[in-house]
């Protein structure tokens, strides 16, 4: 995945926006990243990724939002592309783990 790929499908927030928000606003808790366009306040799918970026920020290892891999969330295997990320989110939603926010990017068709 690249920095312009979407991380929060519920509120259309890119990886670049989230990383830049953390670097500029220096939140004290991961939950404060929700102030970045509502990221993480819909279905909840993206929260592990937001927490990962926040953890990297706290550890001083958060890299600028350059093209690269998305990395691995705490409870999810590592998506290698935006399509895989979207498919994993769709599975998460269809299994009843979260409800997309109104206006969220639609789920891809089920297989
Ligand atoms: S994808 Fe971020 S809250 Fe649903």
């Amino acid at each position: 995945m690249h920095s312009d790929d979407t991380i929060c499908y519920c509120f259309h927030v890119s990886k670049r926006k989230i990383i830049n928000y953390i670097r500029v606003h220096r939140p004290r808790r991961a939950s404060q990243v929700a102030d970045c366009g509502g990221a993480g306040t819909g279905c909840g799918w993206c929260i592990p990724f937001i927490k990962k970026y926040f953890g990297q920020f706290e550890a001083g290892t958060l890299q600028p939002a350059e093209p690269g891999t998305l990395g691995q969330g705490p409870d999810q295997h590592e998506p290698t592309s935006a399509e895989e990320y979207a498919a994993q989110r769709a599975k998460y939603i269809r299994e009843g783990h979260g409800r997309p926010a109104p206006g969220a990017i639609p789920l891809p068709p089920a297989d």
Side-chain angles (χ1 to χ4, degrees):
M1 290 188 64
H2 296 280
S3 57
D4 286 328
D5 288 336
T6 300
I7 295 298
C8 184
Y9 276 52
C10 287
F11 292 98
H12 309 257
V13 185
S14 70
K15 178 179 178 180
R16 182 189 309 273
K17 279 187 183 175
I18 291 170
I19 288 177
N20 286 340
Y21 180 88
I22 292 171
R23 291 169 59 92
V24 169
H25 295 278
R26 309 180 66 79
R28 300 182 75 175
R29 296 184 307 278
S31 61
Q32 291 175 312
V33 179
D35 291 341
C36 178
T41 60
C43 70
W45 162 255
C46 62
I47 290 173
F49 299 94
I50 293 170
K51 285 182 175 177
K52 185 188 79 163
Y53 300 140
F54 181 75
Q56 291 173 345
F57 167 70
E58 284 190 308
T61 61
L62 183 65
Q63 298 298 310
E66 299 296 335
T69 59
L70 180 62
Q72 184 173 350
D75 299 320
Q76 298 147 333
H77 84 81
E78 180 177 331
T80 57
S81 67
E83 293 76 19
E84 184 180 355
Y85 184 80
Q88 289 179 7
R89 176 179 176 266
K91 183 174 185 287
Y92 166 87
I93 299 284
R94 289 186 174 115
E95 289 177 349
H97 298 296
R99 179 181 298 188
I105 295 172
L107 301 182
D111 292 329

